[in-house]
Amino acid sequence: MEPDYDLLVIGGGINGCGIARDASGRGLSVCLAEMNDIGSATSASSTKLFHGGLRYLEYFEFRLVREALIERETLLKAMPHIAWPMRFVLPYHADMRFDLSTPASKILNITMPWMKGRRPAWLIRLGLFLYDNLGGRDILPGTSRLDLRSAPEGRPLVDKFEKAYEYSDCWVEDSRLVVLNARDAEARGATILPRHKVVIADCADGIWTVQLHGRQTGQTSTVTAKVIVNAAGPWVGDVLRGTLKSNYQGGVRLVRGSHIVTKRLFEHDKCYVFQGTDGRIAFAIPYENDFTLIGTTDVEHSGASTKPECTPEEQAYLLDFINRYLSEPITDGDIVWTYSGVRPLYDDGASSASSATRDYVLKVDQSRGAPALNIFGGKITTYRCLAESAMKDISEFFPEVSGPWTAGVALPGGDFPVDGVAELIAQLSEEFPFLDQAWAKRLVRAYGKEAREVMSRAKSLQDLGQHFGSNLTEREVLWLIEKEYAVEADDVVWRRSKLGLRMTKNEISVLDAWMKNNTATAATAAAE
């Protein structure tokens, strides 16, 4: 029997969508099934950084760090609208301490016991030197030193911190990254099925037969595939043993990472990396122009079916963490939003959630008679490399498939230079003079070169249809329904954008009602 698809990908997070894109571009037939909205779980709840993982050097995870450092610039070139360089400020004080569980800390405790876990300045400089050079840099500047007594970056901080190191990493709009990978996969021939849950997977004669339940329609359908890719994120274990009925014993460790968003705490556009007394780090990142994003925690999570939420204890932990650095402490009253996600890490037996490896682990299982590739762990920075590794691991089942191709290939809207955002904003403002600067910038940062298509043929504000608040218009929502799989208000205001930070509850309710009443007709009208 000839199967319907070469690959059935279970899970529409960044790993699943990245694999679907890569495989489709190599000529394989691909179906991706996601039980909820595309990118609605872990991939929408990251700290929103493309970074090498400076702290992973303490665990001697040099391969992971090198791969991530190389990927930063590869990804920047492919998506300059949703990712951009950012400078990170690491305040230094002699009292800074290691996470005592890291291999580096254990070695220092033996060779330099008088340090008692503190971070010597030379070790910070060595780590940053490695960070600058392990992966090479063409775009991002290297490390420099700051005198916090005179630099503007020192003004928000307590006087205790007199110097800092400044290095480079990158910001990324994580939810949009997932959607754009799904769109590009679809453009290359993949079938993308949001809100379709895989219910049963059976195997006969080396072919998978999979039953899907459409959560919107209530209908059940069946597809067949040669290989299943289990990229279900926090549900990878449930799919492995429940849906696929595999005997594979590999485990997943669920670790919750929570974040808080506050009013804007500093005027500059750089990120702080703060070191805690427990050896962990927290970021304080400029966010959506008027806010600051603070995170993250590392807490064991009970199960994939338990909705992750930032607990009062985690909020208090993050507030206490950052207030050790700020000259003007913040309180619960300054928090405007919280979010939390679950990282599906490979269970490597680490003693703590913070120590568990962030590297990805891929396991091919043929115990049912047909191959299934199970994805454990991974970082958003290395999703493209993970997809290439996944294709390498299943290449024996597709001997005629072509080789890697995704490095540097632009995602939808991203076919322009890394430094071309300002020019795109100017062009959009000139073509649509009714857009103010902030509105034009938001559109370019979301859609890149496709922003013109979102505004297509509009001559005035009235041409954009109903206004839902915060410059979100009917025309843009139509685009999101037709092109980006949006069905309800949360898809639009919390994943395709972060306009939920600015819109009122009533405005969001009006949008949700409009979308529920108009989704089908809107998609038809947008296609005409």
Side-chain angles (χ1 to χ4, degrees):
M1 180 181 71
E2 189 69 23
D4 299 323
Y5 298 98
D6 294 318
L7 290 188
L8 172 69
V9 180
I10 303 175
I14 188 55
N15 290 337
C17 290
I19 291 170
R21 179 191 183 223
D22 192 321
S24 298
R26 299 184 193 224
L28 297 183
S29 57
V30 178
C31 177
L32 181 146
E34 161 58 45
M35 64 180 178
N36 296 309
D37 182 28
I38 294 294
S40 58
T42 302
S43 297
S45 305
S46 75
T47 312
K48 316 198 187 297
L49 301 175
F50 279 154
H51 67 119
L54 181 61
R55 77 181 185 91
Y56 303 150
L57 291 175
E58 298 174 12
Y59 294 90
F60 301 153
E61 295 204 44
F62 297 114
R63 189 211 62 79
L64 173 64
V65 175
R66 174 176 165 76
E67 182 177 76
L69 289 172
I70 293 171
E71 273 297 282
R72 293 178 309 177
E73 298 198 6
T74 300
L75 297 174
L76 273 179
K77 294 171 184 175
M79 55 196 78
H81 48 328
I82 63 167
W84 52 89
M86 184 175 284
R87 295 291 278 174
F88 288 68
V89 177
L90 174 63
Y92 176 78
H93 190 273
D95 289 340
M96 284 184 166
R97 296 182 180 274
F98 278 105
D99 176 348
L100 296 179
S101 67
T102 70
S105 181
K106 292 174 180 178
I107 290 173
L108 277 179
N109 284 343
I110 294 172
T111 59
M112 301 173 63
W114 60 89
M115 294 299 295
K116 298 180 179 179
R118 290 192 298 272
R119 293 171 175 262
W122 64 263
L123 190 62
I124 300 291
R125 291 195 298 270
L126 174 61
L128 289 169
F129 174 81
L130 291 173
Y131 205 69
D132 278 346
N133 293 283
L134 269 177
R137 293 173 291 104
D138 292 324
I139 300 171
L140 302 174
T143 298
S144 59
R145 292 186 61 174
L146 288 175
D147 184 347
L148 295 178
R149 294 169 296 184
S150 57
E153 294 83 359
R155 291 171 193 160
L157 306 182
V158 295
D159 292 340
K160 169 183 176 180
F161 297 98
E162 297 183 353
K163 66 178 180 180
Y165 300 98
E166 182 181 301
Y167 65 93
S168 291
D169 266 320
C170 307
W171 171 267
V172 64
E173 300 286 359
D174 53 2
S175 296
R176 294 210 55 75
L177 174 65
V178 182
V179 168
L180 293 181
N181 270 272
R183 279 188 57 202
D184 201 49
E186 187 173 48
R188 298 175 190 276
T191 299
I192 306 296
L193 299 176
R195 296 175 170 85
H196 279 72
K197 181 178 175 62
V198 175
V199 181
I200 300 171
D202 288 319
C203 183
D205 300 323
I207 300 297
W208 290 103
T209 298
V210 179
Q211 190 178 98
L212 304 174
H213 175 71
R215 302 183 70 167
Q216 283 181 275
T217 64
Q219 297 179 350
T220 298
S221 59
T222 300
V223 300
T224 56
K226 188 173 182 178
V227 176
I228 282 180
V229 175
N230 175 10
W235 294 270
V236 63
D238 295 346
V239 170
L240 178 65
R241 278 174 278 279
T243 308
L244 303 182
K245 297 180 177 60
S246 170
N247 295 320
Y248 174 69
Q249 296 303 308
V252 62
R253 185 172 191 169
L254 301 182
V255 177
R256 186 173 66 252
S258 294
H259 302 76
I260 60 177
V261 177
T262 71
K263 65 181 182 180
R264 185 167 180 167
L265 300 181
F266 39 90
E267 293 302 316
H268 58 79
D269 60 357
K270 298 177 183 178
C271 167
Y272 288 105
V273 185
F274 294 142
Q275 177 71 41
T277 55
D278 57 359
R280 296 202 66 251
I281 63 169
F283 296 102
I285 312 170
Y287 189 56
E288 295 292 318
N289 295 315
D290 300 318
F291 306 95
T292 298
L293 171 63
I294 300 167
T296 179
T297 60
D298 269 322
V299 181
E300 301 285 354
H301 192 70
S302 57
S305 60
T306 303
K307 182 180 179 181
E309 294 182 345
C310 183
T311 65
E313 292 77 14
E314 287 175 290
Q315 289 188 43
Y317 171 83
L318 290 172
L319 287 173
D320 179 67
F321 200 124
I322 195 169
N323 281 338
R324 295 174 183 270
Y325 283 81
L326 296 180
S327 57
E328 297 182 13
I330 57 175
T331 67
D332 287 334
D334 295 307
I335 298 174
V336 298
W337 183 47
T338 69
Y339 69 89
S340 186
V342 177
R343 308 180 188 101
L345 307 180
Y346 184 69
D347 191 354
D348 61 353
S351 59
S352 69
S354 297
S355 302
T357 181
R358 265 51 176 179
D359 207 349
Y360 54 81
V361 176
L362 312 181
K363 297 291 184 181
V364 175
D365 174 30
Q366 299 188 67
S367 62
R368 289 290 308 280
L373 175 65
N374 299 286
I375 312 293
F376 299 91
K379 288 160 43 68
I380 198 167
T381 313
T382 54
Y383 86 90
R384 194 195 63 81
C385 296
L386 183 152
E388 287 190 345
S389 295
M391 294 305 301
K392 182 178 179 181
D393 282 3
I394 61 175
S395 62
E396 65 178 288
F397 310 112
F398 305 104
E400 303 302 321
V401 75
S402 59
W405 65 274
T406 57
V409 177
L411 288 172
D415 188 16
F416 64 93
V418 171
D419 59 355
V421 169
E423 183 178 353
L424 275 185
I425 294 172
Q427 291 173 355
L428 194 69
S429 299
E430 182 178 355
E431 185 169 352
F432 304 98
F434 49 84
L435 299 175
D436 63 31
Q437 186 72 6
W439 192 353
K441 179 180 178 181
R442 181 181 72 78
L443 291 173
V444 168
R445 277 302 186 193
Y447 307 106
K449 291 180 72 172
E450 292 187 325
R452 293 179 67 253
E453 297 178 46
V454 176
M455 295 287 101
S456 179
R457 298 186 298 277
K459 302 298 182 185
S460 66
L461 287 174
Q462 290 70 32
D463 291 340
L464 300 178
Q466 184 171 342
H467 288 236
F468 297 102
S470 296
N471 291 329
L472 179 67
T473 67
E474 183 176 329
R475 177 158 297 193
E476 185 176 355
V477 176
L478 288 173
W479 171 277
L480 295 172
I481 292 170
E482 179 199 6
K483 301 284 189 181
E484 298 194 4
Y485 320 104
V487 171
E488 57 191 30
D490 277 2
D491 303 345
V492 172
V493 305
W494 291 117
R495 287 185 284 278
R496 309 306 185 275
S497 74
K498 290 298 180 286
L499 291 174
L501 288 168
R502 305 180 187 280
M503 296 173 68
T504 66
K505 291 183 178 179
N506 183 63
E507 288 172 335
I508 295 173
S509 295
V510 169
L511 170 65
D512 197 50
W514 185 91
M515 292 183 71
K516 287 177 179 177
N517 290 331
N518 293 276
T519 296
T521 56
T524 301
E528 294 177 351

